[in-house]
C-alpha cells in the first residue's frame, strides 16, 4: 500500500516536471488566426470564422470577446505572435490607440469597415409601439435636462412619465433597461441618441464649441434615480425582462430585435422604425459602423489571414443578401463595400486618424 | 432577589414552568430550521425546474430527409473539399418545389435546411466519391429557427418563419419526411454559430484538459505542502505567516489569479493564450489553497495515537507519515481535492484574462491548443442573439451540473467508504 | 540536586497524623518516616546491580517549565518496575524519556543521562529508530494500526528488515502473537483489521507488535486504564509472563495493579522521584510521608 502510494507521488511529481519543461519548449508559432475585440462584432465575426474554417483547409480562427477597448489594447501590444492578428471594434480606432500601436511597433494597420449595427429601443409586443424622437429620449434619460420653463439652464430631471416628456406619449412610468458604461452599445447610444436629442436645444448645441467637456457631460450622463436601469451586458436578459414587464423599454443591438421579433417590437425613432432597410439606408438615426483591424505584420506569419479577409469581404458574406445580413448585420452601401474590399484585399494600411 | 422565592416546595413547579418555555423555544427553533430548509429546497427546485424545462429539448433535434442529386458538374474531382455542395442541396430543394420561382421566396426555401446539410453531403462524397452522379438520400438537420418552431418555442406563432416556410414544413411533416431524433451533434461537435450544429465536445474536452493540468499540479503540490506544514515544519513565526497567507489566498477573488496568470504565464513565460495549459495553471493557483487547507485538516484528524504507535515500533518520521498518516488522511485529501476540482470546473472569473472566453470551433487536441471550457461555453451561448441558443445554454448547464454532481458524489462516496472510527 | 529543607516542624505543619514505622534500612538516623511532605529527596535505593537502563539526574522541561526534576533510577533486567503517583506527577513524562518519545513534542528538552546497556541514548550519534526498536512502548489506549492483524505485527519487522523471507515473517508474527497470548484467539483471522478486536485483545495485539521487533525493554503507559477487569487480568498475566525475557516499566494509576505485577515500585510526586523500593515494602511500609499519604488514599 505505502509503496504504491509513494510511487504514485513520485510519478505525479515527474509528470509535473515534464509539464513545466514542455511549456518552455513551446515555440512561438501559431497555425490559427487569433482575433479579439468587440462583443458586438463577435456574433458576426464568429460566423465568418466558422464558415472560413469549414470551407478552407485552414484552422478555424479563435475569437475572444474582450470588448472594443480591450481588444485594441491587446492588439496594440506589439507584433509578436503572442498578440492577436485582428481586433474587432464597434467604433473607430481612437487617435490615442493608433499612436500606442505605432509606438509598440504595430505600424501598419488595415482598417475594414464591415457594416452597421442599429441600436434599438424596444418594448414587449403586448404594449403599444412607442413613437419617440431623440429629443424625447434625451429628456427622459439625461441626468440633468433643460429647465421645462424654457430658461437656459439645467435642472435635475423632473420627468416621471413619458407623458411628462411629450404629451403625445403614454402616461407610463419611464423605465428603460440598458447596457452598463463598459459596453460599446452604451457608448454608441449616448453618442447618437442622447447627443442627437441634446443638440435640438440650440443653447446646448452652441456649448459644444465653447465648452466641449461640459457639453459631453450633459449629453452622456444618464439618470441614476431608477429611470435608467443598468441591466448588464447580456442583451438576451434585457429581452426576457421586457417580455415579463411590458411597461419597460430596453436598449440593445438590432440583431436581438431581429431574433426575437415574436416577443418585442422596436420603437420608432424620429418617425423611422428600426428595420433592416431603414438602418441600411441611414434613415434610422441610431446606428453605428462596425470595424475590424488587421495587423499587417502578421500576414504571411500566421497562415490564412488574406483568405479570411477574402471570405469576410465576399458579397455572399457581407452583401445585402449575404449570410451576415441574416444574422442582423446591416450591410454598407455598394460603393463603401467596394472601397473596403479593395483596402482589405490589398492590405492598404491606415495612414492616420 | 428572586432567589428568596425559590423554596423546596415550588422548585419543581418553577422547573415545570421553565420546561414549557424551553420546549416552546425548541419547537420554534426546529420550525425555523425546517422553514429554512424548505426555502432552499424550493429555490433548488425552481432552479432545476427552469433549467431542465428549458434545456431538455437541446438533447433532441428535428431532421429532414433530403434527396440530393450529386451533380458531377458541381464536383471538381481534384478539389472535392471545396466543391459546391450547398448548391447541390439548394438544387434539390428547388426540384421539390418547382412552383417557387421568386428569388426572395427561394431564399426562404433554402433557409429551411441547415447549412449543415451541405457539410454532411461533403463528408459523404469525401468518404465515397462513387456516389457522384447518383441521387443520395439522407437525414439533414433543419435550420435552428425551424427546429425551435417544431419544438414549440414560438407557441402558436411562427416566430421568424414566414408563412411560406411554415407551409413547406407542414408539407414535409405530412409526407413524414421530418423526424425528431436524439441530438448526437450536441455531444460530438465543437462550438458553432449555427445552433443546430453547435455542440459541447470542444468545451468538455477543454475542461478535461484544464482539469487534468490542475489535478496533476495542484494535488501533488498541495499534498506535499500540507504534509510538510503539518508534519515536519517547526511551529513558529514563519509557519504562522505561511498559514495566514494560505488562508488569505483561499479567500482571494479568483479574478486576481487571472491577472497573475496573465502577467506570469502569458507575458513572462510566453505560453500560448487561450490554451488549456494556461487555464489549468491559473486554476491550480486558485485550487491550491483549498487543497492545502483540506489536506491539513485531514492530516490533523488522524489521531496522534497512530503516529505514536508507529514511532513506538521504531518507524522514522517519514515512515510514520507515509506508511500510516498519509493513507489515513488520503480520503480527506481526495475529498478536498475533488471539491477544489469541482470549483475549478465551474470557474469563469479568471478566464477572460487569459483569453479563454473565446469562440473556438475546432476541438482541442492538446494542452497548447486554444480552447473554451464548459462554463465559458455557457456564458457565450447565453450571450448569443440566436433564439435557439437558449435551449443549448440550458442543455450545457445540465451537462455541467451533471459533472459537478458526479464529482461531488464521488467525494461523498470516498468519505463514506474510507470513513474510519478509532 | 535541589534538596528541600528537612525540618521536624514540617510534619506538624502538614497537620497529618502519621504512623511510625521502623525502616531499618537507609537513613537509619531517623525513626519512622524518613522524610516529611516538604522533602522531595528520593528515599530508598534507586540503584541495582548491572542494570539494563541507568537514568541519572534526568530533568525534563516543556518550553522552560520543568516537569521532571533530576530523577535517578535504574531499571533491572527481567523485572517489572511500576511507576505510581498522582496525575501530573511526571511519571509518564519520565517514561517517555526512556525511548525518546518526548523528541516529538516541540519545546521539550531532556537533561541528565540515560543509558541502555551502557550506551547513552541521548548521545548525538544515537539514532532513535533502532532505539525505539530496543525500547518498545505500549500506550494507554490500544492503538492498533488500521490494518490487518498480520500487518500490525509485521510492520515493525518489515521496516527494520528483521525477517529475510515471507516464511520467517510468518513465524515471527506467530511467535509474537503466541507470546502475547493472542495466537489462539486470532490465528484464523490474521487478515481481519486489528481494529475489530475487543479492547483487551487490541492491547495485547499492541504488546505483540512491540514484542515483534524483539526489544529489551518494554514501556507501558497505563496499559489497562481503558480495559475492563477481565481484560486487565489477562494483560497483567501477560506482563508476568513477559518478565522472563524483558525489562518492563509500567506506569499505572492502579495501586493494586502495581502491587500485583511489579517487583519494584517508584513513587513520583510533582515531578520528583520521591521514593523507590521493593513493591512489598512500598505498599506495606512506605518511608516517605507523601508515599504514605498516596497509598493510604489521602490524596491522589
Amino acid at each position: 500500500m505505502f509503496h504504491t502510494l509513494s510511487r504514485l507521488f513520485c510519478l505525479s511529481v515527474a509528470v509535473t516536471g515534464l509539464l513545466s519543461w514542455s511549456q518552455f519548449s513551446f515555440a512561438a508559432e501559431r497555425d490559427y488566426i487569433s482575433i479579439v475585440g468587440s462583443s458586438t462584432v463577435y456574433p458576426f465575426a464568429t460566423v465568418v470564422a466558422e464558415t472560413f474554417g469549414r470551407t478552407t483547409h485552414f484552422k478555424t480562427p479563435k475569437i475572444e470577446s474582450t470588448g472594443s477597448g480591450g481588444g485594441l489594447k491587446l492588439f496594440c501590444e506589439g507584433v509578436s505572435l503572442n498578440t492577436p492578428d485582428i481586433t474587432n471594434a464597434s467604433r473607430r480606432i481612437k487617435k490615442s490607440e493608433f499612436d500606442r500601436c505605432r509606438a509598440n511597433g504595430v505600424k501598419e494597420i488595415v482598417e475594414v469597415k464591415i457594416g452597421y449595427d442599429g441600436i434599438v429601443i424596444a418594448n414587449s409586443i403586448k404594449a403599444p409601439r412607442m413613437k419617440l424622437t431623440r429629443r424625447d429620449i434625451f429628456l427622459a434619460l439625461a441626468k440633468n435636462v433643460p429647465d421645462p420653463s424654457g430658461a437656459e439652464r439645467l435642472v435635475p430631471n423632473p420627468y416621471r412619465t413619458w407623458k411628462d416628456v411629450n404629451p403625445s406619449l403614454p402616461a407610463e412610468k419611464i423605465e428603460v433597461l440598458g447596457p452598463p458604461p463598459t459596453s460599446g452599445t452604451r457608448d454608441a447610444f449616448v453618442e447618437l441618441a442622447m447627443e442627437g436629442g441634446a443638440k435640438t436645444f440650440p443653447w446646448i448645441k452652441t456649448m459644444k464649441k465653447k465648452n466641449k467637456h461640459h457639453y459631453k457631460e450633459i449629453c452622456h450622463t444618464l439618470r441614476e434615480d431608477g429611470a435608467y436601469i443598468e441591466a448588464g451586458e447580456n442583451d438576451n436578459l434585457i429581452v426576457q425582462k421586457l417580455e415579463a414587464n411590458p411597461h419597460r423599454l430596453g436598449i440593445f443591438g438590432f440583431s436581438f430585435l431581429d431574433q426575437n421579433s415574436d416577443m418585442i417590437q422596436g420603437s420608432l425613432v424620429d418617425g423611422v422604425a428600426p428595420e433592416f432597410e431603414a438602418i441600411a439606408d441611414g434613415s434610422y438615426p441610431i446606428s453605428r459602423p462596425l470595424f475590424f483591424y488587421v495587423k499587417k505584420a502578421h500576414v504571411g506569419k500566421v497562415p490564412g489571414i488574406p483568405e479570411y479577409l477574402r471570405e469576410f469581404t465576399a458579397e455572399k458574406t457581407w452583401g445585402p443578401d449575404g449570410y451576415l445580413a441574416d444574422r442582423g448585420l446591416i450591410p454598407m452601401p455598394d460603393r463603401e463595400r467596394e472601397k473596403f474590399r479593395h483596402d482589405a484585399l490589398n492590405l492598404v494600411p491606415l495612414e492616420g486618424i | 432577589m428572586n432567589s428568596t422565592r425559590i423554596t423546596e416546595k415550588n422548585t419543581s413547579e418553577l422547573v415545570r414552568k421553565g420546561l414549557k418555555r424551553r420546549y416552546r423555544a425548541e419547537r420554534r427553533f426546529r420550525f425555523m430550521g425546517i422553514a429554512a430548509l424548505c426555502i432552499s429546497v424550493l429555490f433548488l427546485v425552481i432552479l432545476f425546474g427552469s433549467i431542465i424545462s428549458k434545456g431538455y429539448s437541446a438533447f433532441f433535434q428535428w431532421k429532414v430527409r433530403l434527396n440530393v442529386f450529386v451533380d458531377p458538374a458541381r464536383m471538381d474531382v481534384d478539389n472535392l473539399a471545396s466543391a459546391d455542395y450547398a448548391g447541390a442541396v439548394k438544387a434539390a430543394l428547388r426540384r421539390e418545389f418547382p412552383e417557387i420561382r421568386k428569388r426572395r421566396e427561394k431564399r426562404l426555401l433554402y433557409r429551411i435546411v441547415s447549412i449543415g446539410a451541405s457539410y454532411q453531403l461533403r463528408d459523404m462524397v469525401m468518404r465515397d466519391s462513387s456516389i457522384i452522379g447518383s441521387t443520395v438520400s439522407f437525414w439533414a438537420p433543419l435550420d435552428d429557427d425551424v427546429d425551435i418552431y417544431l419544438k414549440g418555442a414560438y407557441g402558436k406563432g411562427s416566430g421568424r418563419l414566414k408563412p411560406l416556410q411554415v407551409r413547406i414544413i407542414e408539407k414535409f411533416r405530412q409526407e413524414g419526411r421530418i423526424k425528431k431524433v436524439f441530438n448526437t451533434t450536441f455531444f460530438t461537435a465543437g462550438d458553432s454559430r449555427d445552433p443546430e450544429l453547435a455542440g459541447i465536445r470542444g468545451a468538455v474536452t477543454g475542461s478535461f484538459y484544464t482539469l487534468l493540468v490542475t489535478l496533476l499540479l495542484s494535488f501533488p503540490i498541495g499534498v506535499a505542502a500540507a504534509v510538510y506544514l503539518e508534519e515536519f515544519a517547526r511551529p513558529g513565526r514563519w509557519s504562522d505567516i505561511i498559514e495566514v497567507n494560505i488562508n488569505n489566498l483561499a479567500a482571494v477573488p479568483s479574478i486576481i489569479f487571472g491577472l497573475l496568470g496573465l502577467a506570469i504565464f502569458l507575458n513572462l513565460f510566453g505560453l500560448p493564450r487561450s490554451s488549456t495549459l494556461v487555464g489549468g495553471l491559473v486554476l491550480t493557483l486558485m485550487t491550491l489553497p483549498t487543497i492545502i487547507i483540506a489536506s491539513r485538516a485531514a492530516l490533523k484528524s488522524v489521531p496522534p495515537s497512530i503516529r505514536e504507535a508507529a514511532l513506538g515500533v521504531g518507524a522514522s518520521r517519514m515512515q510514520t507519515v507515509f506508511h500510516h498518516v498519509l493513507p489515513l488522511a488520503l480520503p480527506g485529501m481526495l475529498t478536498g481535492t475533488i471539491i477544489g476540482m469541482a470549483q475549478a470546473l465551474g470557474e469563469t472569473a479568471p478566464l477572460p484574462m487569459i483569453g479563454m472566453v473565446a469562440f473556438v470551433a475546432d476541438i482541442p487536441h492538446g494542452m497548447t491548443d486554444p480552447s473554451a471550457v464548459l462554463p465559458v461555453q455557457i456564458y457565450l451561448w447565453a450571450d448569443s442573439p440566436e433564439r435557439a441558443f437558449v435551449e443549448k445554454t440550458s442543455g450545457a448547464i445540465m451537462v455541467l451540473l451533471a459533472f459537478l454532481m458526479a464529482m461531488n458524489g464521488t467525494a461523498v462516496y470516498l468519505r463514506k467508504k474510507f470513513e474510519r472510527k478509532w | 540536586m535541589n534538596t528541600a529543607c528537612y525540618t521536624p516542624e514540617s510534619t506538624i505543619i502538614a497537620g497529618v497524623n502519621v504512623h511510625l514505622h521502623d525502616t531499618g534500612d537507609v537513613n537509619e538516623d531517623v525513626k519512622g518516616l524518613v522524610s516529611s511532605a516538604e522533602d522531595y529527596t528520593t528515599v530508598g535505593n534507586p540503584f541495582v546491580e548491572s542494570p539494563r537502563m541507568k537514568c541519572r539526574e534526568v530533568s525534563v522541561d516543556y518550553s522552560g517549565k520543568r516537569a521532571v526534576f533530576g530523577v535517578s533510577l535504574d531499571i533491572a533486567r527481567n523485572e517489572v518496575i511500576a511507576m505510581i503517583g498522582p496525575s501530573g506527577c511526571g511519571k509518564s513524562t519520565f517514561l517517555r524519556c526512556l525511548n525518546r518519545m518526548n523528541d516529538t513534542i516541540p519545546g521539550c528538552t531532556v537533561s541528565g543521562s540515560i543509558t541502555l546497556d551502557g550506551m547513552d541514548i541521548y548521545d548525538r550519534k544515537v539514532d532513535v529508530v533502532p532505539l525505539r526498536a530496543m525500547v518498545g512502548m505500549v500506550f494507554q489506549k490500544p492503538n492498533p494500526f488500521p490494518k490487518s492483524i498480520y500487518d500490525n505485527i509485521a510492520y515493525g519487522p518489515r521496516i527494520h528488515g528483521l525477517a529475510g523471507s515471507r516464511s520467517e515473517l510468518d513465524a515471527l508474527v506467530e511467535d509474537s502473537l503466541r507470546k502475547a497470548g493472542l495466537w489462539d484467539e486470532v490465528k484464523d483471522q490474521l487478515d481481519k483489521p486489528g481494529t475489530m478486536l475487543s479492547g483487551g485483545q487490541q492491547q495485547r495485539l499492541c504488546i505483540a507488535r512491540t514484542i515483534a521487533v524483539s526489544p529489551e525493554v518494554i514501556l507501558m503507559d497505563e496499559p489497562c486504564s481503558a480495559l475492563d477487569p477481565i481484560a486487565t487480568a489477562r494483560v497483567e498475566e501477560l506482563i508476568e509472563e513477559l518478565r522472563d525475557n524483558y525489562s518492563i516499566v509500567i506506569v499505572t494509576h492502579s495501586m493494586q495493579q502495581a502491587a500485583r505485577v511489579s517487583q519494584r515500585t517508584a513513587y513520583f510526586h510533582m515531578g520528583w522521584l520521591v521514593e523507590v523500593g521493593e513493591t512489598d515494602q512500598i505498599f506495606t511500609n512506605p518511608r516517605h510521608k507523601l508515599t504514605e499519604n498516596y497509598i493510604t488514599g489521602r490524596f491522589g
Side-chain angles (χ1 to χ4, degrees):
Chain A
M1 166 75 190
F2 43 78
H3 292 295
T4 51
L5 191 82
S6 37
R7 221 171 288 153
L8 198 80
F9 196 81
C10 293
L11 187 80
S12 44
V13 169
V15 171
T16 311
L18 207 72
L19 263 176
S20 47
W21 173 79
S22 71
Q23 292 167 16
F24 294 99
S25 68
F26 177 81
E29 210 173 277
R30 193 147 44 73
D31 57 356
Y32 58 89
I33 302 173
S34 169
I35 303 174
V36 295
S38 162
S39 56
T40 312
V41 184
Y42 174 87
F44 308 123
T46 43
V47 177
V48 180
E50 189 180 343
T51 314
F52 170 75
R54 286 197 194 258
T55 53
T56 64
H57 62 277
F58 296 107
K59 285 196 167 181
T60 310
K62 176 199 81 183
I63 305 186
E64 283 178 49
S65 172
T66 61
S68 303
L72 279 160
K73 189 162 172 252
L74 288 167
F75 181 80
C76 291
E77 234 151 49
V79 288
S80 91
L81 285 183
N82 273 332
T83 58
D85 313 316
I86 295 175
T87 185
N88 300 320
S90 57
R91 57 168 171 78
R92 207 162 180 230
I93 188 170
K94 288 179 193 160
K95 178 94 173 66
S96 58
E97 288 163 341
F98 185 72
D99 292 344
R100 182 165 169 268
C101 259
R102 301 205 87 139
N104 287 339
V106 189
K107 297 244 159 55
E108 292 185 304
I109 305 168
V110 182
E111 181 182 65
V112 184
K113 193 169 167 186
I114 62 169
Y116 295 92
D117 179 33
I119 294 171
V120 301
I121 300 163
N123 62 356
S124 165
I125 50 168
K126 289 176 223 158
R129 187 191 283 259
M130 297 281 274
K131 294 184 179 65
L132 301 168
T133 63
R134 275 181 283 178
R135 189 185 181 116
D136 296 338
I137 296 169
F138 171 67
L139 290 178
L141 294 179
K143 191 176 182 193
N144 295 305
V145 292
D147 195 330
S149 67
E152 290 192 356
R153 60 191 175 94
L154 292 170
V155 294
N157 197 326
Y159 306 114
R160 295 279 146 243
T161 69
W162 288 103
K163 205 177 173 66
D164 296 345
V165 175
N166 183 342
S168 68
L169 292 172
E172 292 286 1
K173 201 171 157 211
I174 299 172
E175 271 185 319
V176 180
L177 296 158
T182 47
S183 152
T185 311
R186 163 88 167 250
D187 289 344
F189 175 76
V190 290
E191 212 153 282
L192 297 164
M194 300 288 288
E195 221 177 298
K199 271 193 241 169
T200 59
F201 294 91
W203 62 276
I204 297 183
K205 196 175 178 185
T206 52
M207 192 187 282
K208 186 175 182 181
K209 295 212 178 72
K210 285 188 290 184
N211 187 349
K212 194 164 183 184
H213 181 71
H214 189 50
Y215 170 78
K216 288 255 170 207
E217 198 182 295
I218 298 171
C219 303
H220 290 201
T221 314
L222 293 180
R223 290 174 82 162
E224 286 158 2
D225 56 359
Y228 181 82
I229 303 156
E230 279 178 15
E233 293 265 18
N234 190 329
D235 291 350
N236 273 326
L237 214 63
I238 301 183
V239 172
Q240 281 171 26
K241 283 180 180 166
L242 293 183
E243 167 85 19
N245 188 343
H247 307 300
R248 287 178 170 177
L249 293 181
I251 299 168
F252 39 79
F254 172 73
S255 45
F256 285 84
L257 174 67
D258 193 35
Q259 287 284 334
N260 297 288
S261 50
D262 60 320
M263 296 196 291
I264 49 175
Q265 59 193 354
S267 310
L268 272 59
V269 178
D270 294 345
V272 184
E275 276 158 10
F276 191 85
E277 293 76 15
I279 302 171
D281 65 19
S283 57
Y284 182 75
I286 323 174
S287 75
R288 58 176 157 170
L290 303 177
F291 299 89
F292 67 83
Y293 294 90
V294 185
K295 198 176 281 175
K296 197 171 171 184
H298 281 190
V299 177
K301 284 191 186 151
V302 175
I305 296 179
E307 291 80 358
Y308 176 74
L309 295 178
R310 192 168 305 135
E311 173 71 31
F312 213 124
T313 57
E315 263 325 86
K316 69 165 174 104
T317 307
W318 73 357
D321 290 331
Y323 59 76
L324 287 184
D326 288 348
R327 304 280 175 161
L329 180 77
I330 314 295
M332 294 177 285
D334 294 352
R335 287 200 30 213
E336 223 179 346
R337 281 206 308 281
E338 200 48 56
K339 177 200 180 281
F340 281 107
R341 178 179 304 127
H342 173 267
D343 283 3
L345 296 183
N346 295 304
L347 298 168
V348 179
L350 207 55
E351 292 300 336
I353 303 285
Chain B
M1 291 298 283
N2 284 352
S3 57
T4 52
R5 284 198 295 137
I6 300 169
T7 60
E8 286 264 341
K9 208 168 70 197
N10 66 8
T11 303
S12 64
E13 197 184 317
L14 283 172
V15 168
R16 209 176 313 123
K17 265 191 199 158
L19 218 55
K20 253 187 201 158
R21 208 183 54 236
R22 275 189 268 170
Y23 283 141
R24 253 204 318 278
E26 193 175 317
R27 267 201 304 277
R28 214 163 33 229
F29 182 75
R30 262 199 226 169
F31 173 77
M32 286 193 290
I34 290 172
L37 201 69
C38 286
I39 289 169
S40 25
V41 168
L42 184 74
F43 278 123
L44 210 65
V45 166
I46 291 172
L47 174 76
F48 278 78
S50 96
I51 289 171
I52 292 171
S53 65
K54 271 192 210 154
Y56 80 96
S57 56
F59 301 118
F60 299 97
Q61 187 176 32
W62 284 90
K63 289 200 166 184
V64 61
R65 188 162 194 87
L66 291 180
N67 303 308
V68 179
F69 175 59
V70 189
D71 189 352
R74 296 179 191 275
M75 302 294 140
D76 175 4
V77 186
D78 298 326
N79 193 3
L80 275 180
S82 53
D84 186 13
Y85 299 102
V89 173
K90 285 175 181 174
L93 287 167
R94 276 201 305 274
R95 233 188 350 269
E96 301 231 8
F97 298 93
E99 71 276 13
I100 294 176
R101 283 166 194 271
K102 278 189 217 142
R103 193 165 171 278
R104 205 178 136 77
E105 290 185 340
K106 274 189 202 160
R107 279 171 53 84
L108 291 175
L109 170 66
Y110 300 153
R111 245 190 253 164
I112 286 177
V113 176
S114 164
I115 183 79
S118 58
Y119 302 141
Q120 222 169 314
L121 184 65
R122 179 187 63 190
D123 291 346
M124 284 159 69
V125 173
M126 302 278 277
R127 245 194 329 269
D128 177 13
S129 57
S130 68
I131 60 172
I132 296 175
S134 62
T135 299
V136 291
S137 174
F138 63 98
W139 289 95
L142 284 157
D143 187 66
D144 54 323
D145 286 325
V146 181
D147 189 49
I148 57 172
Y149 163 72
L150 287 167
K151 283 172 180 168
Y154 294 127
K156 289 209 176 86
S158 56
R160 285 185 3 123
L161 298 184
K162 300 285 183 290
L164 172 70
Q165 288 172 306
V166 174
R167 276 205 304 282
I168 295 168
I169 295 160
E170 291 311 322
K171 181 165 179 272
F172 277 142
R173 205 207 284 267
Q174 276 158 23
E175 290 170 1
R177 284 179 56 190
I178 52 174
K179 66 170 181 182
K180 194 170 164 185
V181 295
F182 183 72
N183 188 356
T184 46
T185 313
F186 188 69
F187 296 98
T188 56
D191 194 9
S192 167
R193 285 309 318 290
D194 293 298
E196 72 276 12
L197 302 180
I200 54 167
R201 182 149 156 234
V204 168
T205 314
S207 276
F208 171 77
Y209 281 130
T210 308
L211 286 193
L212 189 69
V213 173
T214 308
L215 182 69
L216 286 179
L217 289 172
S218 63
F219 184 65
I221 296 175
V223 168
V227 166
Y228 183 79
L229 286 173
E230 203 54 46
E231 303 287 334
F232 296 100
R234 272 167 213 278
R237 195 192 305 179
W238 280 109
S239 50
D240 284 352
I241 290 173
I242 290 172
E243 173 154 8
V244 166
N245 277 300
I246 288 173
N247 291 341
N248 274 345
L249 278 182
V252 161
S254 49
I255 193 158
I256 308 282
F257 294 113
L259 289 168
L260 195 69
L262 173 67
I264 295 179
F265 303 129
L266 295 185
N267 294 347
L268 195 66
F269 292 168
L271 297 183
R273 209 177 146 83
S274 313
S275 64
T276 49
L277 177 64
V278 175
L281 288 169
V282 166
L283 293 179
T284 299
L285 294 178
M286 200 192 79
T287 46
L288 255 183
T290 313
I291 293 179
I292 294 177
I293 290 169
S295 298
R296 290 187 69 178
L299 287 168
K300 272 201 189 94
S301 74
V302 174
S305 66
I306 298 293
R307 291 185 182 81
E308 281 185 335
L311 291 172
V313 292
S316 67
R317 275 262 279 271
M318 173 115 163
Q319 285 170 326
T320 305
V321 170
F322 277 85
H323 298 174
H324 299 285
V325 180
L326 210 52
L328 292 174
L330 208 57
M333 292 173 163
L334 285 177
T335 307
T337 307
I338 291 172
I339 288 168
M341 288 294 121
Q343 224 179 345
L345 174 63
E347 188 61 63
T348 51
L351 300 181
M353 302 291 148
I354 51 168
M356 287 196 89
V357 178
F359 174 76
V360 182
D362 300 333
I363 288 156
H365 290 292
M367 293 187 178
T368 51
D369 280 354
S371 173
V373 290
L374 255 181
V376 164
Q377 190 67 77
I378 291 166
Y379 168 78
L380 287 173
W381 281 352
D383 217 13
S384 299
E386 288 80 6
R387 267 285 273 289
F389 274 121
V390 174
E391 60 167 29
K392 303 282 183 250
T393 307
S394 294
I397 292 174
M398 281 160 76
V399 172
L400 180 66
L401 283 177
F403 276 118
L404 289 176
M405 272 182 211
M407 289 174 86
N408 288 328
T410 313
V412 170
Y413 171 78
L414 280 176
R415 199 160 55 223
K416 284 269 187 301
K417 176 156 186 219
F418 292 102
E419 200 169 46
R420 263 184 241 265
K421 305 233 175 347
W422 285 284
Chain C
M1 187 184 275
N2 175 10
T3 40
C5 263
Y6 166 64
T7 51
E9 290 83 1
S10 59
T11 328
I12 302 149
I13 293 163
V16 182
N17 189 9
V18 292
H19 301 280
L20 298 179
H21 297 282
D22 191 354
T23 59
D25 206 312
V26 265
N27 295 344
E28 291 196 49
D29 52 330
V30 183
K31 286 285 173 196
L33 288 171
V34 290
S35 296
S36 77
E38 297 293 293
D39 186 356
Y40 293 154
T41 319
T42 306
V43 176
N45 182 12
F47 309 121
V48 298
E49 267 186 43
S50 76
R52 181 127 258 167
M53 294 189 87
K54 266 202 266 188
C55 310
R56 294 294 179 267
E57 298 291 316
V58 174
S59 295
V60 183
D61 293 79
Y62 288 121
S63 313
K65 194 170 169 289
R66 187 151 282 205
V68 172
F69 296 84
V71 171
S72 296
L73 182 67
D74 283 352
I75 289 147
R77 292 163 199 277
N78 303 337
E79 74 158 354
V80 177
I81 176 165
M83 297 188 185
I84 58 171
S87 294
C89 67
K91 56 193 187 302
S92 281
T93 304
F94 177 69
L95 184 78
R96 287 164 157 265
C97 293
L98 302 180
N99 69 344
R100 293 185 56 177
M101 275 302 264
N102 284 334
D103 289 14
T104 58
I105 300 165
C108 176
T109 52
V110 177
S111 59
S113 85
I114 302 175
T115 59
L116 171 66
D117 294 329
M119 170 191 78
D120 184 355
I121 65 168
Y122 277 92
D123 191 284
R124 270 191 177 192
K125 278 172 276 179
V126 168
D127 188 349
V128 293
V129 168
L131 169 72
R132 289 190 190 135
M134 282 186 280
V135 184
M137 188 150 187
V138 176
F139 297 87
Q140 186 171 0
K141 237 182 93 194
N143 57 352
F145 299 128
K147 298 174 187 287
S148 72
I149 292 172
Y150 184 94
D151 285 337
N152 259 284
I153 311 293
Y155 179 71
R158 266 193 197 130
I159 58 170
H160 295 297
L162 299 186
S165 65
R166 177 81 195 185
S167 56
E168 263 181 70
L169 192 61
D170 289 347
L172 191 58
V173 169
E174 180 178 340
D175 183 49
S176 306
L177 284 169
R178 273 190 200 285
K179 279 187 188 154
L182 200 59
W183 175 250
D184 293 330
E185 289 160 62
V186 302
K187 64 180 175 210
D188 299 324
Q189 39 183 345
L190 290 176
D191 53 345
K192 296 273 168 55
T195 42
M196 57 149 257
L197 296 172
S198 73
Q201 286 175 320
Q202 284 190 16
Q203 196 60 297
R204 280 182 283 144
L205 179 67
C206 293
I207 294 171
R209 179 176 69 191
T210 309
I211 296 168
V213 289
S214 34
E216 291 168 17
V217 180
I218 302 175
L219 310 177
M220 296 188 176
D221 192 354
E222 300 181 39
C224 299
S225 65
L227 304 184
D228 66 49
I230 296 169
T232 303
R234 191 72 194 77
V235 171
E236 284 177 9
E237 246 172 68
L238 174 60
I239 293 171
E240 186 61 37
E241 287 160 22
L242 292 176
R243 183 160 73 93
D244 297 342
N245 298 309
Y246 312 98
S247 301
I248 294 171
V249 187
I250 177 168
V251 165
T252 175
H253 270 298
S254 155
M255 282 176 280
Q256 291 85 342
Q257 183 172 61
R260 281 195 297 267
V261 300
S262 68
Q263 286 76 54
R264 284 200 304 149
T265 296
Y267 174 69
F268 281 74
H269 190 89
M270 304 281 282
W272 299 87
L273 174 58
V274 168
E275 181 166 359
V276 58
E278 299 293 322
T279 300
D280 291 346
Q281 174 257 310
I282 293 281
F283 283 101
T284 54
N285 192 14
R287 285 161 39 205
H288 197 293
K289 180 98 179 71
L290 290 166
T291 318
E292 198 202 23
N293 286 350
Y294 184 70
I295 62 167
T296 53
R298 287 204 178 84
F299 63 80

